Amino acid sequence: NAGVMQNPRHLVRRRGQEARLRCSPMKGHSHVYWYRQLPEEGLKFMVYLQKENIIDESGMPKERFSAEFPKEGPSILRIQQVVRGDSAAYFCASSPYSLYQETQYFGPGTRLLVL
Amino acid sequence: AQSVAQPEDQVNVAEGNPLTVKCTYSVSGNPYLFWYVQYPNRGLQFLLKYITGDNLVKGSYGFEAEFNKSQTSFHLKKPSALVSDSALYFCAVRDPKISTDSWGKLQFGAGTQVVVTP
């Protein structure tokens, strides 16, 4: 059973470009979470999605960031007009249910570097 | 609002000695608590969780954690550390109350770097 898949693993962008990060949850999981890890910091929640629904986006910056989880295909985290401060590791996690005790399983992350 | 604290940036221990990584939390009601481990340039691996029941929780790779409600702590322990346990350890809390502020998300501590020397 494959784990959470993320691609690309590494992404280099110049300031002003767009970054698209993809996450395929574990088989049978319909809940996806995105977290960001800035250098020398812990993980910060960004957004929680179910298929075709954004449940909680309280951790998303108000501008330039968006996320989706379509009926078919992976979840996408999109960052428009990237700036150097967006350089971080972005982790996706998935769980099968929305019950609070359910464990979130993490992918290997996408490391974004903005030049 | 929920929060979690890991008071030690780094813990150094000799191989074969007991390992303890500290975590304290703040949340209304009964918390759901988790420990994850991160190896360099890798994602987070789940170690164990406390939801309810026995205060001593056993997890992967010989790790265990003790939930202490009076001290609001959830310290991670391993009786005999291995060099391969050297990694970054994160404690996380999930608020059990349904609210738009806390729905679904894990609140992570800053992490504790564990260094096990041969």
Side-chain angles (χ1 to χ4, degrees):
Chain A
N1 187 12
V4 178
M5 308 291 286
Q6 289 188 252
N7 67 81
R9 295 289 302 276
H10 300 273
L11 183 61
V12 179
R13 286 288 178 265
R14 297 190 180 279
R15 282 178 296 170
Q17 291 183 321
E18 178 180 286
R20 280 185 178 240
L21 288 62
R22 295 174 185 79
C23 169
S24 296
M26 289 179 69
K27 186 177 181 180
H29 288 193
S30 58
H31 299 261
V32 166
Y33 314 80
W34 285 93
Y35 294 83
R36 177 166 64 175
Q37 185 178 30
L38 294 170
E40 308 301 325
E41 292 188 17
L43 279 77
K44 304 293 184 185
F45 169 80
M46 299 182 75
V47 63
Y48 164 32
L49 309 106
Q50 297 176 23
K51 290 278 188 181
E52 300 183 281
N53 282 305
I54 297 175
I55 306 302
D56 179 1
E57 56 182 349
S58 59
M60 287 276 274
K62 298 301 180 188
E63 298 178 349
R64 302 188 297 108
F65 285 72
S66 62
E68 63 177 6
F69 189 17
K71 186 176 181 180
E72 301 291 338
S75 174
I76 306 288
L77 180 67
R78 182 183 179 203
I79 311 173
Q80 296 178 289
Q81 299 176 326
V82 295
V83 301
R84 288 206 173 122
D86 296 332
S87 295
Y90 292 82
F91 291 96
C92 167
S94 73
S95 69
Y97 307 112
S98 63
L99 296 176
Y100 293 103
Q101 60 265 38
E102 283 300 327
T103 301
Q104 295 180 19
Y105 294 94
F106 283 78
T110 293
R111 282 153 182 83
L112 172 66
L113 176 62
V114 179
L115 302 176
Chain B
Q2 61 195 35
S3 66
V4 61
Q6 294 180 243
E8 300 158 316
D9 291 337
Q10 183 164 314
V11 170
N12 299 299
V13 63
E15 187 174 31
N17 283 358
L19 169 64
T20 298
V21 186
K22 295 180 181 177
C23 172
T24 59
Y25 66 89
S26 174
V27 66
S28 300
N30 296 317
Y32 295 148
L33 296 157
F34 302 80
W35 275 102
Y36 288 85
V37 59
Q38 185 181 30
Y39 296 97
N41 297 314
R42 302 281 294 277
L44 274 70
Q45 295 181 30
F46 169 72
L47 284 178
L48 50 81
K49 66 183 177 184
Y50 172 81
I51 303 300
T52 187
D54 289 340
N55 290 339
L56 186 63
V57 179
K58 294 189 181 296
S60 306
Y61 313 119
F63 283 94
E64 59 188 25
E66 186 170 8
F67 172 65
N68 188 318
K69 189 172 183 178
S70 62
Q71 297 185 6
T72 62
S73 67
F74 189 55
H75 301 331
L76 180 70
K77 299 179 181 181
K78 187 171 184 179
S80 178
L82 301 172
V83 172
S84 57
D85 293 329
S86 299
L88 188 57
Y89 290 79
F90 290 100
C91 181
V93 65
R94 197 172 187 184
D95 195 324
K97 293 192 302 182
I98 296 176
S99 76
T100 54
D101 287 342
S102 61
W103 183 278
K105 60 186 167 187
L106 288 171
Q107 182 82 32
F108 282 89
T112 298
Q113 184 69 47
V114 169
V115 179
V116 182
T117 52

